[in-house]
Amino acid sequence: MAEKVILLNMLAGMFGTRARVALAAKGMQYEYREEDLRNKSPLLLQSNPIHKKILVLIHNDPYQRAQARFWADYINKKLYGPGRKIWTKSGEELEAAKKEFVEILKQLQSELGDKAFFGGERFGFLDVGLVTYSTWFHTYEKCGGFSIEEHCPKLIAWVKRCLEIDFVSGSLADPAKVYDFALVLRKVFGIDTS
């Protein structure tokens, strides 16, 4: 039995129309839902929570994998820059970086919700994509003068669950050593460490 496919688009949406042509070429049955971009549906906002744009193609299992890839890409593109600024900048640039970093973590915490891991009850793809950043959290907090746990307690609880898994904790760098490494780099780059 085929799984239900839903296409969210608008009449003049070229990219969604491209998907309609491709689905028709494959002979696939799907449900088309017209979106009013001035009054976006809850399904659109849930399916594309960051960009809140169309085209959205929903197809159960592939959808779950696509969501994980989307969030992994989000982490890769969004988290590194502000994180790096936290330990390399000062003043207004530091404050802006902290604010951006915390907002990104809050978005990720929202995606995690009340689940044990991003994929549910088991450590998975998206967990791998984010857990490596946790080794830098201590550095960000020390250099930025803030607490990630204060802003994102569920995310820190997730980090602790991840670290209970032997292959995760055995693969990650010691956060204290990461901090020492960052301090050496700050000195090399001539960043004021006072």
Side-chain angles (χ1 to χ4, degrees):
M1 180 166 125
E3 295 183 34
K4 187 174 185 175
V5 175
I6 302 171
L7 174 64
L8 306 179
N9 194 33
M10 59 177 258
L11 178 68
M14 293 178 283
F15 301 110
T17 302
R18 186 181 294 164
R20 291 181 85 169
V21 170
L23 289 167
K26 293 267 189 196
M28 292 188 64
Q29 297 295 314
Y30 65 95
E31 179 183 339
Y32 176 80
R33 294 190 189 175
E34 186 75 22
E35 282 290 330
D36 176 356
L37 297 182
R38 291 169 289 159
N39 185 25
K40 297 173 182 174
S41 73
L43 182 59
L44 171 63
L45 297 174
Q46 175 190 357
S47 301
N48 193 351
I50 300 300
H51 303 297
K52 300 174 178 55
K53 295 180 180 180
I54 56 168
L55 122 99
V56 173
L57 185 64
I58 302 168
H59 184 243
N60 294 336
D61 290 340
Y63 173 74
Q64 301 298 336
R65 290 192 303 271
Q67 283 291 93
R69 285 191 305 270
F70 168 81
W71 285 107
D73 186 57
Y74 177 82
I75 290 165
N76 292 341
K77 290 180 178 172
K78 297 286 188 177
L79 211 51
Y80 178 80
R84 187 174 197 285
K85 288 178 183 174
I86 290 171
W87 64 272
T88 62
K89 302 295 180 186
S90 61
E92 290 180 16
E93 286 182 285
L94 170 61
E95 292 307 312
K98 286 189 323 191
K99 182 178 180 188
E100 182 180 2
F101 186 79
V102 167
E103 288 306 311
I104 293 165
L105 290 183
K106 284 181 179 179
Q107 187 70 49
L108 291 165
Q109 178 175 260
S110 177
E111 176 61 19
L112 176 64
D114 292 325
K115 299 178 298 226
F117 299 100
F118 281 93
E121 292 304 311
R122 294 178 46 195
F123 184 86
F125 179 75
L126 189 51
D127 302 294
V128 171
L130 182 57
V131 76
T132 57
Y133 280 90
S134 71
T135 63
W136 279 85
F137 285 2
H138 175 69
T139 300
Y140 300 150
E141 291 175 328
K142 294 285 277 185
C143 293
F146 71 110
S147 165
I148 294 172
E149 187 168 21
E150 179 181 310
H151 298 283
C152 300
K154 286 183 179 181
L155 200 61
I156 296 302
W158 164 82
V159 169
K160 291 174 182 173
R161 276 192 299 281
C162 290
L163 292 175
E164 291 173 358
I165 302 169
D166 290 342
F167 65 82
V168 174
S169 57
S171 300
L172 297 179
D174 179 342
K177 289 182 180 179
V178 171
Y179 177 65
D180 292 341
F181 171 75
L183 291 181
V184 168
L185 287 179
R186 284 170 60 108
K187 195 175 274 188
V188 167
F189 296 146
I191 300 168
D192 181 24
T193 57
S194 55

